[in-house]
Structure formats: structure tokens, C-alpha cells
Amino acid sequence: MSGDPMEVDEQEIDENLYSRQLYVIDHASMKRVMGSNVLLLGLGGLGVEIAKNVILTGVKSLTLWDPQPASMLDLSSQFYLTEQDVQAGTGRAAASRSKLEELNPYVEVVHYDGKLTDEFLARFQVVVATDTPLEEQLRINSVCRSNGAKFISADVRGVFSSLFCDFGDEFVVVDKNGEALKSYMVSAITQENPGAVTLIEDVRCDLESGDYVTFKDVEGMTELNNCPPMKVNVKGPFALEIVDTTGFSTYRKGGAMQEVKMPVTMSFSSLERSIAEPEFFMTDFAKMDSPGHLHVGFMALQEFQKRNGRLPGSHNAEDASQLLALAKEFNAKQKTVEEIDEDLLTALSHTALAVVSPMASFLGGVVGQEVLKACTGKFTPIKQFMYFDAIEMLPEGDRDAAEFQPSNSRYDSQVVVFGKDVQQQVLDLNYFLVGSGAIGCELLKTWAAMGVGAGEKGLIHVTDMDTIEKSNLNRQFLFRPRDVSRLKSESAADAVKVMNPSMHIKPYSLRVGQETESIFNDAFYRSLSGVCNALDNVEARMYMDSQCINYRLSLLESGTLGTKGNTQVIVPDLTESYASSRDPPEKTIPMCTLHHFPNRIEHTIQWARDSFEGLFTGAAENVNAYLSQKSFLDTLAKQSLVARLEVVKTIYSCLVTDKPLTFEECIAWARQKFEDFFNNGIQQLLFNFPKDLITSSGAPFWSGPKKAPNPLQFDMENPDHLEFIVAAANLRAANYGLNGSRDLSLYRKVLPTIKVPDFTPSAKVAIPASDEEAEASKRKGGPPADVDQDELERLTKLLPDPDSLVGYRMEPAEFEKDVDENFHIDFITACSNLRAHNYAIAPADKHKTKGIAGKIIPAMVTTTAMVAGLVCIEMMKLVQKKKLEQYKNGFANLAIPFIAFSEPQQPETAEVRKGWKWSLWDRFDIKGPTTLQELLDYFQEKHQLEVTMASAGMTLIYAFFHKPSQTGPRLNVELMDLVEQITNKPCDRSASLQLTVCCSRVEDGEDVDVPWVNYHLV
């Protein structure tokens, strides 16, 4: 079984289950994963995290080996063990196997309790060792190297962790970063040594010197077309150098440069050699010296265990002294560091007995990704030792060692690390988790082990309005096939209650936003210790950020994208908020590029997606609106003439000229759409802009990013053409409630009988050559030449009376990317690829099309687990109210690999006057009842500020420019009463009223920005 996992039999991939993962590791890599047999030693807190991640990624088999019985110390991180397992003395692997097996029906999970002989080890492509003595690690590593297997060892000790990877002398990385292949349009290539390539300045070149490329569609210098991969030297964002081109033909125009990923061979040292000559992978550049010290410390821990048969005791001074002596002894021989860090290694000794869930989640995610790399050659492995610590989590100050002693509790490991007082605070936390998808599941699992909300005063609120789909099961590990269609929040709450029956958790199925503020109200937010986001959209993140600012609550923010992850901790008064620094908005495709001048497959996919919406969603919705809303035409009259004509034409077509009564008529309609989209429309474009057109500047019109298209002639024998007809006809039939068909013989019978009208391009049709020209035409006013007011009026009169179609409705297609049988992705794929053929763009398969059209976010359980661990590390700091410099925002890309941290930014401040600065966390807190006059006096007398304007939301309650007759009656009215009088709407007296005030300084009349006013009666 050892063999090469990259050479496996063809297997069917369950694309519904592995959907999001396939956008990270591709189909070929997934096949290699599915052919891999993995052995995992040790099923403690770290081991079970690794097992969960490896099973969910879909290996062929995972064999578990761990003779150690479950203990109370395990329960703070081993989420599949119970107190009953501890009482029964059940082995950790045996107790976990059945629960792990439920995670993925395609993975064989085996519990093995025999000897780890050389013959047994030879069965596996990857061996992962946790909680394993060093001598045994050395032996197993040697066997793995002999068999060509990959070896990984990892451990968590308190707030410290270690990882080692040995993938052999010659490990081939087939894709070092997993990024999509980059493609660029060429504008010029010189004949020199080296040849200079200039790119069209529509997309910056993200290649690096040393990357490889090839070319296609180059006119003139045809020697480059489909050339073997050549190395580039990047000179700028749009310039690079290639090989000697002096002997090549003269470049004329056009061409695309395509990145080529070349295999990279990496060489790893054995564990024995690496211990003496360690190569470190950095995780925190603020701790450059830590890896060396922790290397010494972990080696000393191994020696301590060997001599004592146990780990150092919790905060045991004698054991810590012995560990320091062993560390000095090791360092004297190896000279790893100049002088050991005694404080660091003392902390290691004090907490080594424990495995806490945040650390296990973090390292389990990283190790899971390394197993995936070992199975596939996809992404760059960690080379070779990685040491990570979260020492900032530890309690500060001198504390009695008794505070940290285990007491036969399920939270003993938490107590060993944080102490009993801090653990009680964890138990009594009241947290709001927004989202229970992938990150939410990992967080809840970690919280169950930590005991968050499990005390008498504790409570977790979790909300998620989504229901569970099959594609969720690959990374949202709390859910099982039996949970499909259930609410995520309820299923997640049920699952973690099994893990820790003491947890108090309340699920909701509500969206967070203004519409649910009667549920998530002032009282709700005031009851919270903090908020944790596990969201996948910016709008909800921004809303929760604003709520946390309003109620002065901490916020834990995180996100993932494939192998990339980030975390942000937001602390009242100390840090900026989520909204303070945001990613730039996503780039949109220019409209003219989309409609007339595509040059990338992304352009044709978006065009096809828009066509789907227009044909099968928007058209049906407009028809239904016309039939059901008496004022529909009056409302439509407010739109532009172009928009009105388009809508009326569509309704007339759907209800009169093209309304099908049979499926055969749907086929005929689809055939005409083929002609309109891929022949007639292209003929019209070439009529307006002939292929030999020269611009006013003397340059060819069809050059640079503009690719001249060619019309397509329908060919029933062409699979792409037929797929379009099948998908379009079935979607059309579904709109009208007709039965569709996949029977190709029916299409072959009907299609030859369809007469397609001849098409002649029209000189009346105006097509803008650029977005700028389109915008200029729009500003000029008036409808385009081909828009006829008389035609609009004629068609409107011909529309059938809605009263004659009472009860009739079309069925709009609601886009759903994850249902293979609904023809949605089939249509978009066929439509996009046919347009790509028009423009000589390389087509995309259904999988790629689905990802782009459905805006699917690539996801891996490994990244999610890592991110959740980092979030919970910051949570433990929040519990202890740490200083700013002890918090960390995290950034990671496990593919490269890269892990780094930064100190959160402090909030920006504004100055009212010298000595008075304020930030987004400040506000004037005023408890009423207070009248408007009292509010003005408050600012005047207490802050020497004159209020010039005051408003509640969009309601202006006071302004310096108001007439006395308007201001006078308001001055002695209580503020909530005043808002009610002005708006004629009741105010919630139990909630706060937020007032925005504009002020000027009394001393000089200068306008100044001031915080908002939080006015409340309770």
C-alpha cells in the first residue's frame, strides 16, 4: 500500500460533497487524496483535530493508533471523548473511531491496537505522530524514508506547539501556491536579447521573476505560439523579459501570454539530522528567537518524559528546574541558541501537561493541510520545524500554584494553563455567535471544549438563517447527512450539547439587521460579554461592527478563502473597528467589454449569467408583475424609453408571439436564441466595426484587448451547440410549467424542421465602442436611433388584458448552482463557451464555470480550523482584558506557506480642543428624561460647546437656522417625545436614542467634530 499516492485508479469524485474543496485543490489532486492511506498516532486533543480534518478532506483511509486511555485532562480539547469514556478507561482511539467515521462515508476509519512494526508502517503513504516518544519518532521516520512515505510529527503543550515535516529526499511540488493560472494580453514584443514583452495595461502582471510562460495567438512572431515554457524576468507591472528573440519574426500584433506552473523538487532532511541542524519555518516575525528556544525546550520535554515517565507537573517548580537543566544540557551539545530563555521554558514546563482546544484547533488545521500536501504534491510544504506559541494568553502576575492544579474536572487542561479564576470567567461568558457555517462550527466545537457559556451565568446565542446543504458537510463538521435541510443554528447547537452537556446555547434563525432589532435589542446587547462573527458577507459584518461600537462590545472577526485565512480582534477603546480598514471593492467588468468586446473567459461567463437572469428569471418576473399589479405600466413609465421598450417587448413575446404550448416549441425558441446570440449579434457587431476598421489615430480597431469575433453556424452534431439547445429549451419549458426532455433523439428530430429567418445587419443599430462613448451618449440625452416610441405604444396596446389571464403565472428560475438537474449551470456553461468560441477564447468546463458564475468561495476545513483556533486565542486574551500589545491579528496562507501576525491598529482620534481627543468608541452618555433645552445647556455649560444642529437618524430636531416659531415649542419637550411629535412614530422607551450633534467651540466659534449622543431612559 505504500506506493505512490499520485498513481491511483480512476475514482468518482462526489462533487456535491467536495464542491468547495475542489475549487482549492482541483480534480487531479482530489484523486490523489482519495488514493492515500494515512496513519495517525495519538488521539488526544491535537490528534482528533488532525483526524477530523484529514477525514473531511477525503483520504482513502485513516488508521488510528492510540493505546492511551481517556483522561479528564483530555476533555478540554478532545471533543469526541466523554466523561463516561474516562470512567470506563476506554482508549482514546477506540472511543473516537465511530464518531470520526460519521464525518465522511467515503473514508475508511480503522482502529488498530497492534504493534507498529516496519511491515505495518509500510502500508501507509503518510504517517502522522502525536504524543509519541522521540525515540519512536526517530524509528518511524527512518522506516518512512525507506518506504518513500511522508512523515509528520506534531504536539501541543499548553500554549506552545511544535510541528516537523519530512517528505523525503526528492519531493515533487506540482503547484507551489495553488493560485489560478494568470493570463495577459500582449501589446508588443521586441527582437532583441533578451526579448522585451509589453503587456496591455488592463491587468497588472502578478508574475515573479523565475516564473514560466508560454504564448498563443501572436501575429508576426509566430515562433512564440505554443512554445515550450520559458522563464521570465519581470521588469515592471506591464513589462518583462523572455528568451533571445533576435532570430524570430517581427511581432505584428495580438497574442496572449499564459503562465505555466513548473514542478519544483524539494529535499528534506531526516528527523535525526534536523534535530541537530534545524531549519525553522517562522510563524511570528516579532519572535525571531523563539523557534530556537522552543526547539531546545521541546527536546528537553522529550528527555524529561523519557526519564520520568510523565510530563512536568502543573506549575511545579521542581519539574521546571529539571526541564531547564535538561534544556541547558541539550543546548550545550547542539548549540542551537546562545543562551536559553529561562522564562519561556519555565512557562513551557508549567503548562506542558495540558492541551487546550484553541492551540489544538490551530495546529490541527496546519497539520491537516500538510497531510494534504504530502498526498498530492499540491502546495509548498513547511520546511521543516515549525514552533508556534501564544504565550500572551497566559495570566499575568504572581499567582499561587494551587490556582492551576487539576481537580478531576472536564476543564482541567484549561485550569492548568489559565487558572481557576480565569476558567470561571470563561464558563460565565455570554457570547453572540453570528453564523454557524464552517467557521461557526469550528468555534462552537472549541467553545464546548473550553466551557464557554457552560457556567450558571453563561449563555451562547447563535444565529444563522441558512439550512444545511450536502456541500456543507465537507467542512461544517457538526452536521451529518441526516441534518440536510435542517437549520444550521439548531443542528450546531444540538451537536455541541452532545460534546459538552453543560453548555447553555440558544439558537436563532434570524438575519442580523435593522429588521431584527426588536429581538436583538438594547437589553440583548447589554447582556453580552462580546460578539464573534462567522459571516460570509460584508454587509452583515459592517452591521455587527456598528452594533459592537454602539454597545462598546469586543468583536472577534475572521474569514477564509481557500488556503488563506485572517483574524481580527476589535477591542473597545484600544483598537480600530472592522469598518476602519476594509478591502477595496471587487472590480467589475466594463459594460462594453461584457457586451461586445470580451477577451477572458470570466467575461463570457458573466455575460452568460446575465443572459440566464434575463431570459429565465427577469422575463418571467416582469410577466407576473404585469399580470398581478394594476399599476405596473404606470410604474414602468417612470423608466427610460429604452428600458420600457425592452420590458414591453419581453412581456409581448412571452405572452403572445413566443408563448409555447409544446416542448417542441421550446426547442424552436432555443434554436432562435442560438442564432440571436452567436450569429446575428456577431454579424451586427462586425457590420458596425468591420475587421479592417482603422481608428482616427491610425491604429486597427480590433487590436489590444479587442478581439475580432466570428459568427457561429449552428451544427447539430457539435456537442456544445446541442448542449445550449437542450439547456435553453428545458429552462424555457420550466418557465411555462411544461415537461422537458433530455432525449437527444427528440432534438435531432425537431431541429432540422425549424426554419430560422435570414438576418441582415441594420445601420440603425448603434453600438458604443467604449464605456466612455456609451456614457457620453447617455449624457447627450434622447433614445438611441433604433428605439422607436411608436413601437413601444403599439406593443403596449397589443399586450393581453391581465383580466383575461386571471391566475396565470410563469415560473421564474431562481438561480441555484448546486442542483445538477436544473439546467442552470448547464445553460451558463454552454452559453459562455459558445461566446468564447465567437471570440477565440479558451472555453471553461462546467466546474470552473460554476465557480465563477455562482461566485463560490473556495473553502478548506484545514484553514477553517486554523482560523477558529486563532480566534479563540484572542478570546482568552479578551477574557483577561489584556493590553493592546498582547493582542494579535492573524494572516495566513497555508499553501505557500505563510503565517504572520500584527498588533491591531489603534483607533483614529479627532480633537475637540487641546487636551480633549475622542475616537469612534467615545460618546456622550445621557440618562433622561432630558428636554431639548437641557441638552443644549448640557453642551454649553459642561463642555463649552454650542450645538448648531441635532438629529435622530434622518430627523432634524434642532438647527441654528430654524425660525424661533419652530424652535421655541420644541425646547421644553423631552427628547423622545420630540422625536415622536416630528416623525409621528413611537419611540421604544426601553432602547437608546442615538443623536448626532454638530457643535462649535464657545471660545472661538470654530466648528468641531464631536462624538454622538447615547440618550436613554433606562
Side-chain angles (χ1 to χ4, degrees):
M1 289 172 66
S2 63
D4 185 350
M6 298 184 188
E7 298 176 3
V8 297
D9 295 332
E10 287 295 312
Q11 302 171 66
E12 285 295 321
I13 299 173
D14 188 337
E15 297 205 10
N16 286 327
L17 177 64
Y18 296 117
S19 169
R20 305 310 187 254
Q21 179 172 303
L22 285 168
Y23 289 102
V24 185
I25 66 169
D26 69 61
H27 286 71
S29 296
M30 188 66 217
K31 290 284 184 71
R32 298 181 189 123
V33 172
M34 293 166 64
S36 298
N37 301 291
V38 180
L39 172 63
L40 174 61
L41 312 180
L43 258 293
L46 175 60
V48 76
E49 286 280 357
I50 297 169
K52 175 253 298 176
N53 296 334
V54 169
I55 290 169
L56 288 172
T57 55
V59 295
K60 182 178 182 180
S61 73
L62 177 67
T63 300
L64 313 173
W65 184 89
D66 187 351
Q68 188 169 323
S71 74
M72 294 303 283
L73 281 166
D74 289 320
L75 300 188
S76 291
S77 57
Q78 220 288 18
F79 46 83
Y80 281 153
L81 295 181
T82 66
E83 293 187 34
Q84 289 73 29
D85 294 325
V86 176
Q87 292 163 6
T90 310
R92 299 189 299 187
S96 305
R97 191 199 68 82
S98 62
K99 295 173 184 175
L100 287 167
E101 191 176 46
E102 289 184 348
L103 291 173
N104 192 333
Y106 297 105
V107 178
E108 182 184 7
V109 181
V110 179
H111 171 223
Y112 175 75
D113 57 5
K115 292 185 177 180
L116 300 176
T117 63
D118 291 3
E119 293 75 21
F120 176 73
L121 293 171
R123 300 179 185 181
F124 304 97
Q125 285 84 43
V126 185
V127 177
V128 183
T130 70
D131 291 335
T132 304
L134 182 58
E135 286 185 2
E136 184 69 347
Q137 288 186 42
L138 290 166
R139 181 185 74 84
I140 295 172
N141 177 236
S142 178
V143 174
C144 287
R145 290 182 70 82
S146 299
N147 295 332
K150 318 302 182 287
F151 174 80
I152 300 170
S153 67
D155 278 306
V156 169
R157 303 296 179 210
V159 295
F160 304 91
S161 63
S162 70
L163 168 65
F164 172 77
C165 295
D166 175 13
F167 291 178
D169 293 329
E170 294 183 350
F171 180 74
V172 178
V173 177
V174 295
D175 182 351
K176 65 181 182 180
N177 59 21
E179 298 294 332
L181 291 171
K182 302 176 182 73
S183 180
Y184 305 92
M185 304 292 291
V186 177
S187 68
I189 308 174
T190 64
Q191 288 175 294
E192 57 184 324
N193 186 16
V197 179
T198 304
L199 305 175
I200 291 173
E201 298 186 8
D202 63 336
V203 179
R204 289 176 62 91
C205 180
D206 289 330
L207 297 176
E208 299 176 356
S209 294
D211 287 344
Y212 285 78
V213 299
T214 188
F215 294 83
K216 67 175 184 177
D217 300 332
V218 174
E219 295 186 30
M221 196 177 284
T222 55
E223 295 88 345
L224 288 176
N225 288 331
N226 303 312
C227 65
M230 56 178 63
K231 192 181 292 188
V232 300
N233 180 28
V234 178
K235 307 299 289 184
F238 308 104
L240 46 87
E241 294 174 339
I242 53 173
V243 298
D244 182 357
T245 57
T246 52
F248 292 178
S249 307
T250 302
Y251 173 83
R252 209 154 51 82
K253 68 172 184 176
M257 184 181 75
Q258 178 77 49
E259 180 188 12
V260 179
K261 294 198 175 182
M262 303 295 287
V264 177
T265 301
M266 295 178 66
S267 179
F268 291 77
S269 298
S270 68
L271 176 58
E272 182 177 19
R273 182 175 177 182
S274 294
I275 288 172
E277 301 172 11
E279 182 175 351
F280 298 127
F281 168 75
M282 291 300 302
T283 60
D284 191 337
F285 294 95
K287 301 177 179 179
M288 296 295 289
D289 296 332
S290 290
H293 294 293
L294 290 176
H295 183 68
V296 173
F298 271 84
M299 293 303 117
L301 264 183
Q302 287 283 353
E303 185 62 26
F304 183 100
Q305 283 183 277
K306 180 180 176 182
R307 295 187 186 186
N308 297 282
R310 61 176 177 83
L311 287 164
S314 174
H315 293 257
N316 186 303
E318 186 177 333
D319 285 353
S321 179
Q322 184 183 351
L323 183 77
L324 289 175
L326 292 172
K328 291 174 181 177
E329 184 180 319
F330 174 87
N331 194 53
K333 293 178 182 177
Q334 302 296 342
K335 296 181 171 53
T336 306
V337 295
E338 289 187 13
E339 185 176 351
I340 67 169
D341 185 333
E342 294 194 8
D343 290 339
L344 189 70
L345 298 197
T346 297
L348 173 61
S349 176
H350 283 177
T351 62
L353 188 62
V355 177
V356 289
S357 192
M359 295 294 295
S361 185
F362 166 80
L363 190 61
V366 176
V367 173
Q369 192 67 47
E370 295 307 298
V371 171
L372 202 68
K373 296 174 187 178
C375 295
T376 64
K378 181 93 171 180
F379 312 134
T380 304
I382 287 174
K383 196 176 181 210
Q384 284 189 257
F385 275 107
M386 183 191 91
Y387 291 101
F388 169 76
D389 74 81
I391 197 168
E392 299 83 5
M393 274 202 294
L394 292 177
E396 297 173 327
D398 294 329
R399 301 202 179 196
D400 193 327
E403 173 79 8
F404 302 91
Q405 298 311 307
S407 58
N408 200 36
S409 157
R410 67 172 296 124
Y411 309 115
D412 274 352
S413 281
Q414 287 275 116
V415 169
V416 167
V417 174
F418 303 111
K420 294 173 183 175
D421 286 348
V422 172
Q423 181 56 28
Q424 188 58 53
Q425 294 178 55
V426 172
L427 293 170
D428 289 337
L429 286 173
N430 278 261
Y431 249 82
F432 186 23
L433 175 62
V434 188
S436 56
I439 294 177
C441 283
E442 294 288 340
L443 288 168
L444 285 171
K445 165 264 301 178
T446 307
W447 290 359
M450 294 165 61
V452 176
E456 290 183 7
K457 302 176 183 177
L459 179 61
I460 295 170
H461 303 269
V462 57
T463 189
D464 196 316
M465 60 185 298
D466 289 344
T467 55
I468 298 163
E469 301 173 355
K470 184 177 180 180
S471 63
N472 300 146
L473 305 181
N474 170 240
R475 63 201 182 282
Q476 300 176 20
F477 89 104
L478 294 180
F479 308 139
R480 301 291 177 270
R482 60 180 177 270
D483 296 319
V484 170
S485 297
R486 284 191 68 197
L487 285 166
K488 288 184 177 181
S489 57
E490 292 181 0
S491 294
D494 290 345
V496 293
K497 284 281 287 182
V498 172
M499 293 177 176
N500 184 347
S502 299
M503 285 186 78
H504 302 130
I505 183 165
K506 184 176 181 180
Y508 304 79
S509 57
L510 301 173
R511 184 193 306 273
V512 289
Q514 291 184 348
E515 65 270 28
T516 55
E517 286 182 357
S518 61
I519 306 295
F520 304 129
N521 53 24
D522 276 25
F524 173 81
Y525 281 105
R526 288 185 188 128
S527 72
L528 298 176
S529 311
V531 174
C532 187
N533 277 349
L535 292 160
D536 60 1
N537 70 89
V538 172
E539 181 184 356
R541 283 183 165 123
M542 294 291 288
Y543 174 80
M544 289 310 303
D545 183 62
S546 67
Q547 292 296 85
C548 287
I549 293 170
N550 291 347
Y551 294 100
R552 294 181 54 79
L553 289 167
S554 61
L555 173 63
L556 292 163
E557 178 61 71
S558 61
T560 67
L561 181 67
T563 58
K564 301 167 187 171
N566 69 280
T567 62
Q568 182 181 5
V569 56
I570 295 152
V571 190
D573 297 322
L574 297 186
T575 73
E576 64 181 9
S577 70
Y578 171 78
S580 300
S581 56
R582 294 173 56 193
D583 293 333
E586 186 178 344
K587 287 186 177 180
T588 57
I589 303 171
M591 293 306 294
C592 280
T593 300
L594 190 64
H595 291 293
H596 307 299
F597 310 115
N599 56 63
R600 298 177 182 277
I601 194 65
E602 291 82 2
H603 300 160
T604 69
I605 291 173
Q606 184 60 54
W607 181 83
R609 177 76 169 83
D610 292 346
S611 298
F612 173 91
E613 291 292 334
L615 292 173
F616 307 114
T617 306
E621 289 175 344
N622 281 331
V623 167
N624 291 347
Y626 168 71
L627 294 176
S628 61
Q629 300 172 15
K630 292 184 178 180
S631 61
F632 177 79
L633 291 176
D634 293 335
T635 303
L636 186 66
K638 299 174 184 176
Q639 298 186 23
S640 69
L641 181 61
V642 176
R644 287 154 57 198
L645 181 58
E646 185 65 31
V647 170
V648 171
K649 275 184 177 180
T650 299
I651 296 173
Y652 183 69
S653 169
C654 289
L655 292 178
V656 182
T657 56
D658 293 320
K659 181 183 178 183
L661 298 177
T662 66
F663 183 63
E664 287 76 5
E665 290 179 290
C666 294
I667 296 175
W669 177 86
R671 173 65 183 87
Q672 183 59 53
K673 283 302 165 191
F674 179 99
E675 208 67 17
D676 293 342
F677 281 176
F678 311 115
N679 189 313
N680 301 349
I682 301 300
Q683 285 191 55
Q684 182 67 58
L685 182 65
L686 292 174
F687 176 84
N688 286 51
F689 306 109
K691 288 189 176 183
D692 57 359
L693 179 65
I694 302 298
T695 66
S696 58
S697 64
F701 177 85
W702 294 106
S703 61
K706 288 188 173 73
K707 297 168 71 90
N710 291 298
L712 297 183
Q713 299 300 320
F714 180 74
D715 179 3
M716 188 168 61
E717 301 306 317
N718 186 314
D720 292 340
H721 295 200
L722 197 55
E723 284 171 13
F724 175 85
I725 300 296
V726 172
N730 277 278
L731 286 166
R732 182 72 167 177
N735 277 156
Y736 287 90
L738 300 173
N739 292 326
S741 175
R742 294 179 182 268
D743 182 1
L744 295 186
S745 63
L746 174 63
Y747 295 88
R748 296 184 189 281
K749 177 183 176 182
V750 173
L751 284 168
T753 68
I754 299 169
K755 180 167 177 56
V756 178
D758 292 333
F759 175 77
T760 303
S762 170
K764 291 184 178 181
V765 175
I767 300 176
S770 65
D771 278 359
E772 291 76 18
E773 184 178 310
E775 194 59 37
S777 174
K778 197 174 180 181
R779 287 195 299 269
K780 196 183 297 181
D786 60 329
V787 176
D788 189 340
Q789 175 76 43
D790 294 338
E791 175 73 355
L792 173 62
E793 293 176 0
R794 184 183 72 82
L795 288 176
T796 302
K797 290 176 182 177
L798 290 175
L799 291 179
D801 187 340
D803 290 339
S804 68
L805 294 168
V806 174
Y808 179 84
R809 296 291 183 271
M810 290 182 66
E811 292 291 333
E814 294 186 17
F815 178 66
E816 174 48 66
K817 58 186 177 291
D818 288 320
V819 178
D820 290 339
E821 299 78 21
N822 64 11
F823 292 100
H824 294 191
I825 295 299
D826 292 327
F827 172 83
I828 293 171
T829 302
C831 188
S832 167
N833 285 342
L834 290 172
R835 187 163 175 83
H837 289 316
N838 280 138
Y839 287 87
I841 298 168
D845 62 18
K846 187 175 176 180
H847 177 73
K848 181 175 181 179
T849 303
K850 175 179 172 179
I852 295 172
K855 297 183 178 179
I856 289 176
I857 300 173
M860 290 289 300
V861 67
T862 50
T863 315
T864 306
M866 175 203 67
V867 161
L870 294 177
V871 167
C872 292
I873 287 171
E874 298 309 304
M875 173 185 265
M876 289 306 304
K877 299 175 188 176
L878 288 169
V879 170
Q880 301 172 75
K881 297 180 172 56
K882 294 282 188 173
K883 297 175 182 176
L884 175 65
E885 57 269 20
Q886 292 170 311
Y887 293 101
K888 291 181 181 289
N889 292 337
F891 312 88
N893 183 346
L894 295 180
I896 305 178
F898 173 80
I899 300 173
F901 299 92
S902 67
E903 183 180 305
Q905 293 290 312
Q906 296 183 47
E908 291 186 3
T909 58
E911 187 174 64
V912 178
R913 59 170 60 90
K914 190 173 182 179
W916 181 7
K917 291 183 178 180
W918 64 277
S919 75
L920 58 90
W921 295 106
D922 293 304
R923 75 283 314 275
F924 297 102
D925 194 77
I926 299 177
K927 187 176 185 306
T930 300
T931 64
L932 176 59
Q933 182 64 62
E934 288 170 337
L935 177 72
L936 302 179
D937 293 343
Y938 167 82
F939 276 91
Q940 180 89 22
E941 296 167 7
K942 187 164 185 177
H943 299 292
Q944 292 74 55
L945 293 172
E946 181 180 350
V947 176
T948 54
M949 284 192 290
S951 60
M954 301 298 292
T955 304
L956 189 64
I957 63 173
Y958 173 80
F960 69 92
F961 52 77
H962 281 169
K963 295 179 180 178
S965 58
Q966 186 176 4
T967 301
R970 296 181 177 184
L971 290 175
N972 294 316
V973 180
E974 189 271 332
L975 292 172
M976 287 196 182
D977 288 342
L978 180 57
V979 172
E980 287 180 343
Q981 287 179 16
I982 297 172
T983 63
N984 289 319
K985 294 179 182 178
C987 285
D988 182 357
R989 305 282 164 152
S990 65
S992 298
L993 180 66
Q994 295 182 15
L995 301 175
T996 302
V997 292
C998 299
C999 296
S1000 60
R1001 290 192 296 247
V1002 170
E1003 61 267 30
D1004 57 13
E1006 189 72 26
D1007 290 338
V1008 289
D1009 291 328
V1010 297
W1012 55 280
V1013 175
N1014 181 51
Y1015 176 72
H1016 53 97
L1017 296 175
V1018 293

